[in-house]
Amino acid sequence: MATEILMPALSPTMEEGTLAKWLVKEGDTVSSGDILAEIETDKATMEFEAVDEGTIGKILVAEGTEGVKVNSPIAVLLEEGEDASAVEDAAPAGGGGDEAKPAADEPRGKAPEKAPARVAEEEPTPKSKASPDWPEGTEMVTQTVREALRDAMSEEMRRDESVFIMGEEVAEYNGAYKITQGMLDEFGARRVIDTPITEHGFAGIGVGAAFGGLRPIVEFMTFNFAMQAIDQIINSAAKTLYMSGGQMGAPMVFRGPNGAAARVGAQHSQDYAAWYASIPGLKVVMPYSASDAKGLMKTAIRDPNPVIFLENEILYGKSFEVPKLDDFTVPFGKARIWREGSDVTIVSWGIGMTYALEAAGKLAADGIEAEVIDLRTLRPCDYETVLASVMKTNRCVLVEEGFPVASFSDHMASTIMQRAFDYLDAPVVTCTGKDVPMPYAANLEKLALVTTDEVVEAVRSVTYK
Amino acid sequence: MAARKTTAKAKPNVSAEELLGYYKDMLLIRRFEEKAGQLYGMGLIGGFCHLYIGQEAVVVGLEAAAKPGDKRITSYRDHGHMLACGMDPKGVMAELTGREGGYSKGKGGSMHMFSKEKDFYGGHGIVAAQVPLGAGLAFSDKYKGNDNVTFIYFGDGAANQGQVYETYNMAEIWDLPAIFVIENNQYAMGTSTKRSTRSPSYWERGAAYGIEGEEVDGMDVLAVKDAGDRAVAYCRAGKGPYILEIKTYRYRGHSMSDPAKYRTRDEVQKMREERDAIEMIRQLLLTGDHATEDDLKAVDKEVKDIVNESAEFAKESPEPALEELWTDIYADEVPQETA
Ligand SMILES: Cc1ncc(C[n+]2csc(CCOP(=O)(O)OP(=O)(O)O)c2C)c(N)n1
Ligand SMILES: [Mg+2]
């Protein structure tokens, strides 16, 4: 059967082109790979090669023709033994050929269908999801965040053979910040793996191992160095599940200290919470207390998605009560109310909680009762608990150490504005790190960080007290 | 690929003056670093502070091969490089204490100092990031058509980062006047080179990209200077990049907070006693009758005074004005409005 040679699409954006020149004439025999014509696209002049072999039976579009639509027939190719009479059977130029391929000619401007709503209509009155994380009367032990993280990882590694940890200095050095203390001894070098300083490489290897069915924990010595690896985190880990139509993803944890430590300067002090929280496909956890660090780390390791687990060097040494339970986990997407109050809602997470709680204490001394909410996870985020609280207090102050522009606080403020506008008695105020790279000098570093006094001030400004 | 490996000891056919110069420059770095360690202990220096003690011969030898206009760039372990290229010890120390008189007005700290005047381009905290940056500096010189070269210092740990190899490839295809100086002090934090690579001869990796290079004894300042001369001559002649893998050793921990349990005290002691670069030059000076004990004492005193003065300056210099928080973010000083 004679086949039509169609106008090729030679660039991702090409819809039509100019048939600049034929390099074959009717009656020529061609084989696959021979150059048939030169075609001008919107970007360049391209050579167009034959795919099949045969004889050029008829040229349907003369050279020099402009505006030839992609997928319209430009010539007819005869198979061996066929003669020109077969051409009559083929569709004539500009005839039915176009109809045969209607999709290609469909104008792009046609109104797209509306994206379906992601979830059913939001509940009109949000209800707080906050609830106790352990039964009353549970025995408690005092632990640092550091110990809690190590215990969580070790427990999960005992439980699941496919979990392993890798990163710089995690094994023999016991962790640059001693989070993996003792883990090499317990689990051996097969599962506690020192890497060279090659973040982009080992992050990618971690993602690949997750594709391959393992549950990697990738430690970044600090999240500042994860910028070397961010392509693998975003383009590979976060997007593969979607790109593969749900076939495969990267169940893994990227963890390490995030944000400012003390006096370590501009390249070692950034808070990346807002960056990662903006990526669909990632889950983002940023615990404050030791019990949350533990319960959320265990949940993170079991989660079937890539989880960004943002720790904080200053919190590592801080002690908290942790429930003594065999298998203690904290679910994602459930905020914790640290303090109830009716005058204002203070929302924070991670190290920001330090300022939030300190400010609440100071304010209480002046008779202002703040409700303090720890989001704990930014993705998923417990909007309901925040909204329910704001509807009660009618005021909200958000606290974080990150940069102010496009911060997570901005996102939350906008959510509150959209969903609880009528309840607000004052603008939502954000207290963030300053809009500057972190300075080294002690006095400037203090100024660059968010302070408790700024939070107190913000609360006063929204409570008019 | 005509890379070669130098093992021969450099002959001390150098002048007394030159030797004395090396001695003084290396000693300045050592005493400066010891002082920095003390100030750190006193809480006057904060954050990360990476000392260069043990590696002095590397920068002193290479700076002796440089001419004005040549550039240098390195990592966070940068104090020695700054002193060797002639930056003022006062300004360096005051940056360590985070004061107004520091090279970055106190805003950079130990890891981030720069001097346009001395063609010192930092002071970089992200391991290996300085490598492509250095090649960019070399690119700028080649583009302008001058004969300057750029010394790009990085560690054995940094040498495993991917961007190093991307840079090697471009530096070679564009014949950039870049001298890649691998300061192989055998450890990247707590990871020995034995544990981080099966290809421990770092300079030879250049062969994969067609880059010439050699291994150098970094505890011998004269050998470093010789190798530096060869590298510089090669680069200045427009032949492209050159790799110097300099075998050296850091006596102190990775930073002030490193307990250094990954190596034995004996290993460190042995290096200090048998291979110390300053001691070697000291012996050459004395045995070659280039200097007397008294001459050297005078140098020691001179160096000590410079260091003490820098420490005094670094303590006296005020903290930066609070307004400095908001300056230098944009070149045109127009801050972005936030709230
Ligand atoms: C991209 C990146 N990863 C990790 C770190 C943390 N870190 C700082 S120095 C260092 C070791 C570097 O060793 P090497 O390159 O040999 O240089 P040396 O410290 O020995 O001078 C590490 C892992 C960092 N600063 N940047
Ligand atoms: Mg090293």
Side-chain angles (χ1 to χ4, degrees):
Chain A
M1 242 291 297
T3 48
E4 289 174 346
I5 297 172
L6 304 178
M7 180 71 166
L10 296 169
S11 86
T13 48
M14 177 177 172
E15 290 177 17
E16 55 178 42
T18 299
L19 209 164
K21 192 172 176 195
W22 278 110
L23 298 172
V24 290
K25 52 186 189 311
E26 290 176 3
D28 284 1
T29 54
V30 295
S31 51
S32 133
D34 286 355
I35 299 164
L36 299 179
E38 281 176 7
I39 287 168
E40 279 169 29
T41 71
D42 50 344
K43 299 220 169 65
T45 300
M46 308 279 292
E47 290 177 337
F48 174 39
E49 293 178 1
V51 185
D52 301 314
E53 50 187 28
T55 307
I56 301 294
K58 192 170 174 61
I59 285 176
L60 303 172
V61 175
E63 65 179 31
T65 309
E66 292 176 16
V68 182
K69 294 247 179 318
V70 166
N71 277 333
S72 58
I74 54 175
V76 176
L77 190 68
L78 302 175
E79 275 174 37
E80 214 187 324
E82 283 179 330
D83 63 28
S85 67
V87 170
E88 304 328 312
D89 301 335
D98 273 357
E99 268 133 41
K101 302 262 185 286
D105 281 347
E106 201 143 280
R108 301 231 164 162
K110 200 171 164 186
E113 249 182 79
K114 190 168 170 276
R118 179 155 175 235
V119 284
E121 284 290 289
E122 300 286 358
E123 251 185 89
T125 23
K127 284 202 193 66
S128 171
K129 288 198 225 159
S131 61
D133 292 321
W134 52 81
E136 220 174 311
T138 302
E139 190 189 337
M140 304 298 281
V141 287
T142 304
Q143 267 200 323
T144 60
V145 170
R146 174 179 282 114
E147 292 160 343
L149 287 168
R150 184 210 43 214
D151 285 359
M153 290 192 289
S154 297
E155 285 175 22
E156 290 308 296
M157 283 178 67
R158 279 173 216 135
R159 188 178 161 270
D160 180 352
E161 159 76 17
S162 67
V163 180
F164 70 96
I165 179 162
M166 67 171 165
E168 293 158 21
E169 309 290 357
V170 299
E172 295 198 10
Y173 199 82
N174 283 300
Y177 296 97
K178 299 285 172 273
I179 306 304
T180 50
Q181 183 95 51
M183 288 176 67
L184 174 66
D185 283 348
E186 179 176 353
F187 300 102
R190 177 172 161 261
R191 298 179 71 194
V192 183
I193 303 165
D194 277 326
T195 63
I197 311 169
T198 47
E199 288 83 4
H200 198 204
F202 69 72
I205 287 175
V207 177
F211 289 171
L214 301 183
R215 295 251 169 183
I217 304 171
V218 171
E219 172 175 313
F220 291 113
M221 194 176 283
T222 81
F223 262 95
N224 301 283
F225 316 140
M227 278 205 283
Q228 296 282 322
I230 202 152
D231 177 70
Q232 293 292 9
I233 300 173
I234 312 286
N235 271 324
S236 305
K239 298 178 183 171
T240 297
L241 185 71
Y242 196 79
M243 296 187 299
S244 69
Q247 295 177 74
M248 56 185 245
M252 65 189 299
V253 179
F254 296 100
R255 54 155 289 271
N258 166 67
R263 310 281 311 275
V264 292
Q267 291 184 332
H268 284 73
S269 301
Q270 197 166 328
D271 174 1
Y272 294 91
W275 281 35
Y276 292 112
S278 80
I279 303 298
L282 294 179
K283 294 197 177 177
V284 181
V285 184
M286 196 157 157
Y288 163 62
S289 73
S291 60
D292 287 345
K294 181 169 186 189
L296 291 167
M297 177 58 80
K298 284 166 69 80
T299 302
I301 294 169
R302 294 177 197 184
D303 196 276
N305 300 284
V307 179
I308 304 290
F309 201 97
L310 302 168
E311 302 158 12
N312 185 283
E313 192 188 330
I314 290 166
L315 292 178
Y316 279 153
K318 231 179 128 147
S319 292
F320 295 84
E321 297 283 280
V322 179
K324 206 174 161 197
L325 293 170
D326 278 347
D327 191 18
F328 167 65
T329 59
V330 172
F332 288 175
K334 189 179 108 175
R336 172 168 175 185
I337 299 178
W338 279 75
R339 192 183 186 288
E340 293 193 10
S342 50
D343 294 329
V344 63
T345 302
I346 304 179
V347 180
S348 191
W349 54 92
I351 182 100
M353 284 300 297
T354 320
Y355 311 104
L357 290 171
E358 229 174 70
K362 283 192 176 180
L363 290 160
D366 293 343
I368 301 173
E369 292 302 328
E371 181 141 301
V372 182
I373 298 176
D374 179 356
L375 288 179
R376 307 198 287 194
T377 63
L378 302 182
R379 227 180 218 273
C381 180
D382 183 358
Y383 300 107
E384 308 307 308
T385 298
V386 174
L387 291 167
S389 174
V390 171
M391 287 175 183
K392 177 176 80 176
T393 65
N394 313 111
R395 299 165 159 89
C396 186
V397 169
L398 292 139
V399 186
E400 67 175 297
E401 271 195 354
F403 292 133
V405 177
S407 64
F408 195 80
S409 297
D410 279 356
H411 166 68
M412 184 55 87
S414 121
T415 304
I416 295 168
M417 191 267 287
Q418 292 176 51
R419 293 183 59 190
F421 187 74
D422 291 340
Y423 292 85
L424 289 174
D425 286 347
V428 176
V429 175
T430 62
C431 297
T432 65
K434 307 304 179 295
D435 196 22
V436 304
M438 185 62 74
Y440 166 74
N443 62 334
L444 299 186
E445 188 184 55
K446 275 197 207 105
L447 289 181
L449 293 164
V450 63
T451 64
T452 299
D453 285 348
E454 285 164 1
V455 180
V456 168
E457 210 38 55
V459 168
R460 290 189 193 288
S461 80
V462 298
T463 53
Y464 311 112
K465 284 182 183 167
Chain B
M1 169 70 208
R4 83 200 96 97
K5 184 164 170 163
T6 38
T7 41
K9 270 263 181 302
K11 312 233 158 22
N13 58 347
V14 252
S15 69
E17 213 183 345
E18 213 177 308
L19 285 176
L20 217 56
Y22 296 147
Y23 179 72
K24 185 179 157 188
D25 290 349
M26 291 195 291
L27 198 65
L28 174 64
I29 296 174
R30 181 151 313 171
R31 297 284 171 263
F32 182 95
E33 294 291 66
E34 287 165 355
K35 180 61 83 180
Q38 284 168 18
L39 296 188
Y40 193 95
M42 292 161 66
L44 284 158
I45 296 173
F48 291 131
C49 182
H50 309 84
L51 302 182
Y52 198 63
I53 297 176
Q55 303 183 209
E56 297 90 345
V58 180
V59 289
V60 169
L62 290 183
E63 282 299 340
K67 72 160 178 58
D70 289 344
K71 301 177 171 53
R72 64 278 298 151
I73 188 166
T74 188
S75 68
Y76 44 84
R77 196 179 302 285
D78 55 356
H79 311 162
H81 304 69
M82 294 188 279
L83 298 177
C85 75
M87 287 167 65
D88 182 357
K90 287 199 194 109
V92 178
M93 197 67 98
E95 190 59 40
L96 295 183
T97 54
R99 305 301 173 88
E100 186 184 87
Y103 267 98
S104 301
K105 308 179 206 165
K107 288 154 69 163
S110 162
M111 299 187 286
H112 311 301
M113 272 181 257
F114 307 81
S115 167
K116 241 220 138 149
E117 186 204 345
K118 298 290 178 192
D119 280 306
F120 179 73
Y121 287 85
H124 298 269
I126 302 304
V127 167
Q130 76 272 24
V131 178
L133 298 176
L137 291 167
F139 182 95
S140 73
D141 278 322
K142 170 146 181 153
Y143 190 90
K144 291 176 196 159
N146 61 40
D147 71 345
N148 296 332
V149 305
T150 299
F151 294 89
I152 306 169
Y153 294 89
F154 55 105
D156 46 281
N160 292 319
Q161 284 279 42
Q163 54 186 323
V164 171
Y165 299 93
E166 300 177 21
T167 304
Y168 277 4
N169 191 42
M170 287 182 275
E172 179 62 24
I173 60 177
W174 296 334
D175 287 331
L176 300 182
I179 302 176
F180 296 104
V181 184
I182 303 163
E183 294 197 62
N184 183 353
N185 60 12
Q186 302 173 45
Y187 292 91
M189 230 171 227
T191 305
S192 68
T193 54
K194 286 182 202 68
R195 295 203 300 121
S196 62
T197 181
R198 292 275 162 87
S199 149
S201 187
Y202 295 91
W203 69 272
E204 290 186 58
R205 297 183 189 179
Y209 301 87
I211 305 180
E212 310 245 343
E214 61 185 276
E215 182 185 297
V216 187
D217 177 359
M219 304 312 273
D220 176 352
V221 69
L222 301 177
V224 175
K225 161 72 161 65
D226 267 6
D229 284 340
R230 277 191 295 279
V232 165
Y234 185 91
C235 277
R236 276 211 220 296
K239 296 183 189 167
Y242 199 91
I243 298 175
L244 296 175
E245 177 186 347
I246 307 199
K247 288 294 209 12
T248 180
Y249 199 78
R250 77 169 147 70
Y251 296 171
R252 296 294 188 91
H254 167 76
S255 66
M256 301 306 295
S257 55
D258 173 19
K261 290 205 189 114
Y262 43 83
R263 60 184 187 188
T264 62
R265 285 186 85 83
D266 281 354
E267 178 184 309
V268 184
Q269 249 347 82
K270 203 164 142 62
M271 274 311 254
R272 288 191 98 126
E273 277 162 18
E274 295 172 11
R275 299 301 331 277
D276 188 69
I278 299 179
E279 190 53 32
M280 177 195 144
I281 291 296
R282 203 184 130 80
Q283 289 310 322
L284 271 183
L285 281 163
L286 292 174
T287 56
D289 279 336
H290 296 299
T292 64
E293 288 278 4
D294 280 348
D295 293 340
L296 297 185
K297 271 202 188 111
V299 175
D300 293 0
K301 163 122 192 10
E302 193 189 337
V303 163
K304 207 179 221 161
D305 288 346
I306 296 172
V307 169
N308 285 338
E309 225 177 281
S310 75
E312 274 323 298
F313 178 79
K315 290 184 210 164
E316 299 299 313
S317 177
E319 290 192 305
L322 300 184
E323 294 70 46
E324 284 294 346
L325 184 66
W326 299 102
T327 65
D328 305 319
I329 300 166
Y330 293 98
D332 49 7
E333 295 292 342
V334 183
Q336 184 179 359
E337 284 295 330
T338 50

